[in-house]
Amino acid sequence: MIKNLPANTVERLSLYRRILLNLPADEKPFIHSHRLAHLLKINAAHVRRDLMLIDFSGDIHKGYDVRKLIDGIGEAIDCIYIQKVAFVGIGDLGRAVAEYFNHTETRLQVAATFRLEGEAPDFKDVRCYHISRMKEILKKEKIELCVLAVPSDHAQEVSKELVDAGIRGILNFTSAHLKVPSNVYVEQYDMICKLEKLAYFTNKDHCGNNFEK
Amino acid sequence: MIKNLPANTVERLSLYRRILLNLPADEKPFIHSHRLAHLLKINAAHVRRDLMLIDFSGDIHKGYDVRKLIDGIGEAIDCIYIQKVAFVGIGDLGRAVAEYFNHTETRLQVAATFRLEGEAPDFKDVRCYHISRMKEILKKEKIELCVLAVPSDHAQEVSKELVDAGIRGILNFTSAHLKVPSNVYVEQYDMICKLEKLAYFTNKDHCGNNFEK
């Protein structure tokens, strides 16, 4: 197992795998770095460097063996055991993602979703609980990862409970800057920023259709 | 109005504004580039370069005037009119984001959400419709931006309808690679990749607590 890959490389490796798993049937079983790069709108040198970091090489003529590359990425980034994920604040999103997960090769499993208010139906094997039961369930299910999507003014309070319950990684959908211990990994995702970027590039006053990526 | 800012700069400018709007009261009214950079876990040189691109400068001793910077970013990236956003596939997420929007200084407005199945309550002023009414409502409301979060195997079909209805920007939460005309801007967001990255850095087998960002 390769240690200490850079964060951006890990994210791209995961993305390569998702792209490879979704390739049209006529593109398999081999792919060139520039084709993979094109599908991701990045530079082919990035692809080659990332795959060198996990000691994966291709055939100079045929390119990379797609099936072997999928497996190679798995060996490099996947945990040997299944890691459980909880969705906090948005039950529907959790259920939608749970459904994607059932169709992908990943070692992540959506184990629970929590709602701030009201009742919600369970989804297949994923239970939806009221947030008052969050600490209890997270501990019982040994859940270490979560997606946090509560209203921003509740985010710090909820994240404290998450940390107390043993959560080690938070994908933060709120706009709050979370204060957590240094051994908890926070990945920030601010949807409003993505939407404002989208708005900028679709706005005729700025650059119309000639957007620069 | 400044034209043709790079995509990453637009995204960071939006993020700076969100951070500035959420600053603790004791940090206002001035902020230094290294403090802003620290809050975003990026390099201070990035912050300074981005703000130079929008012709914004600070006081060498006091730093940037927070209120003026918020306004300066707005002048650089905001549209002069309100742009409407629709959420397709996840009603709850749409409503949660709509609530954030109501508390922020943005020229985006969540105007409608669409569900694939069943009925859903409206949220304040945001109606939730069945997806069969999507084209009609998008046209009527002149909605140009949307967040797409339907199951991946429906994504291409739904995105075609979105384009037909006049949508010009799509924030794609599905893992499908959307084929859209070149004048439609697609911003990809694959949650599973973010979660796999999170899983990698919280996995004791990899680098334990010494994660590298």
Side-chain angles (χ1 to χ4, degrees), chain A residues 14 18 106 168 175 196 202, chain B residues 14 18 106 168 175 196 202:
Chain A
S14 170
R18 306 272 297 141
T106 178
R168 306 183 65 242
S175 59
E196 288 187 341
T202 55
Chain B
S14 170
R18 307 272 296 141
T106 177
R168 305 183 67 242
S175 60
E196 288 187 341
T202 55

Side-chain angles (χ1 to χ4, degrees), chain A residues 11-157:
Chain A
E11 191 172 332
R12 280 193 299 264
L13 287 169
S14 170
L15 207 47
Y16 302 155
R17 174 164 61 180
R18 306 272 297 141
I19 295 270
L20 295 171
L21 287 167
N22 287 295
L23 275 186
D26 59 351
E27 290 215 37
K28 292 168 181 169
F30 287 89
I31 192 166
H32 284 285
S33 58
H34 56 80
R35 175 68 186 146
L36 195 49
H38 173 78
L39 290 170
L40 269 98
K41 299 193 186 98
I42 63 170
N43 195 302
H46 258 135
V47 174
R48 289 191 291 269
R49 198 176 55 197
D50 288 337
L51 299 187
M52 272 171 58
L53 284 176
I54 62 165
D55 287 333
F56 195 90
S57 55
D59 179 288
I60 198 163
H61 299 295
K62 293 197 281 187
Y64 300 107
D65 181 314
V66 170
R67 186 62 245 177
K68 283 187 183 161
L69 182 49
I70 290 169
D71 294 340
I73 292 172
E75 282 167 30
I77 68 170
D78 286 344
C79 188
I80 47 171
Y81 56 93
I82 300 284
Q83 281 179 289
K84 292 181 178 176
V85 181
F87 278 73
V88 183
I90 298 183
D92 273 7
L93 180 62
R95 289 196 295 278
V97 175
E99 192 167 43
Y100 300 164
F101 273 51
N102 295 342
H103 295 96
T104 61
E105 302 189 18
T106 178
R107 289 190 176 271
L108 300 173
Q109 180 205 343
V110 179
T113 68
F114 298 94
R115 276 188 177 245
L116 288 180
E117 292 172 1
E119 292 289 318
D122 298 338
F123 179 81
K124 295 182 182 169
D125 298 332
V126 183
R127 288 285 303 273
C128 185
Y129 303 92
H130 188 265
I131 200 160
S132 60
R133 296 192 62 195
M134 188 174 75
K135 257 169 105 164
E136 167 210 346
I137 301 294
L138 291 177
K139 282 188 176 177
K140 193 178 109 194
E141 295 275 344
K142 296 190 175 57
I143 299 174
E144 290 194 318
L145 303 175
C146 78
V147 177
L148 181 64
V150 298
S152 293
D153 47 355
H154 293 314
Q156 184 58 47
E157 175 195 344

Side-chain angles (χ1 to χ4, degrees), chain A residues 1-5 7 10-11 14-15 17-18 22 39 76-80 83 87 90 92-93 97 99-101 106 108 115 144-145 147 149-152 168-171 173 175 177 182-187 189-207 209 211-213, chain B residues 1-5 7 10-11 14-15 17-18 22 39 76-80 83 87 90 92-93 97 99-101 106 108 115 144-145 147 149-152 168-171 173 175 177 182-187 189-207 209 211-213:
Chain A
M1 199 172 279
I2 302 125
K3 297 202 178 203
N4 293 325
L5 292 170
V10 174
E11 191 172 332
S14 170
L15 207 47
R17 174 164 61 180
R18 306 272 297 141
N22 287 295
L39 290 170
I77 68 170
D78 286 344
C79 188
I80 47 171
Q83 281 179 289
F87 278 73
I90 298 183
D92 273 7
L93 180 62
V97 175
E99 192 167 43
Y100 300 164
F101 273 51
T106 178
L108 300 173
R115 276 188 177 245
E144 290 194 318
L145 303 175
V147 177
V150 298
S152 293
R168 306 183 65 242
I170 301 173
L171 179 55
F173 265 75
S175 59
H177 179 72
S182 62
N183 63 342
V184 176
Y185 187 92
V186 177
E187 174 81 15
Y189 183 74
D190 189 323
M191 191 181 299
I192 294 178
C193 293
K194 291 282 179 194
L195 285 171
E196 288 187 341
K197 178 182 177 188
L198 204 63
Y200 178 86
F201 285 105
T202 55
N203 178 355
K204 297 179 196 77
D205 299 335
H206 287 116
C207 31
N209 299 340
F211 42 70
E212 180 191 339
K213 287 224 86 165
Chain B
M1 199 171 281
I2 303 125
K3 298 203 178 202
N4 293 325
L5 292 170
V10 174
E11 191 173 331
S14 170
L15 208 47
R17 174 164 61 180
R18 307 272 296 141
N22 286 295
L39 290 170
I77 68 170
D78 286 344
C79 188
I80 49 171
Q83 281 179 289
F87 278 72
I90 298 184
D92 273 7
L93 180 63
V97 176
E99 192 168 43
Y100 301 165
F101 273 51
T106 177
L108 299 173
R115 278 191 175 239
E144 292 193 319
L145 304 175
V147 178
V150 298
S152 293
R168 305 183 67 242
I170 301 173
L171 179 54
F173 265 76
S175 60
H177 180 72
S182 62
N183 63 341
V184 175
Y185 187 93
V186 176
E187 174 82 13
Y189 183 74
D190 189 323
M191 191 181 298
I192 293 179
C193 293
K194 291 281 180 197
L195 284 172
E196 288 187 341
K197 178 182 176 187
L198 204 62
Y200 178 86
F201 285 105
T202 55
N203 178 354
K204 297 177 196 78
D205 299 333
H206 287 118
C207 30
N209 300 339
F211 42 70
E212 180 192 337
K213 288 225 81 162

Side-chain angles (χ1 to χ4, degrees), chain B residues 16 28 31 33 38 44 57 60 67 77 100 127 151 154 174 199 204 211-212:
Chain B
Y16 301 156
K28 291 168 181 171
I31 192 167
S33 58
H38 173 77
S57 54
I60 199 164
R67 186 63 245 177
I77 68 170
Y100 301 165
R127 287 284 303 273
H154 293 314
T174 81
K204 297 177 196 78
F211 42 70
E212 180 192 337

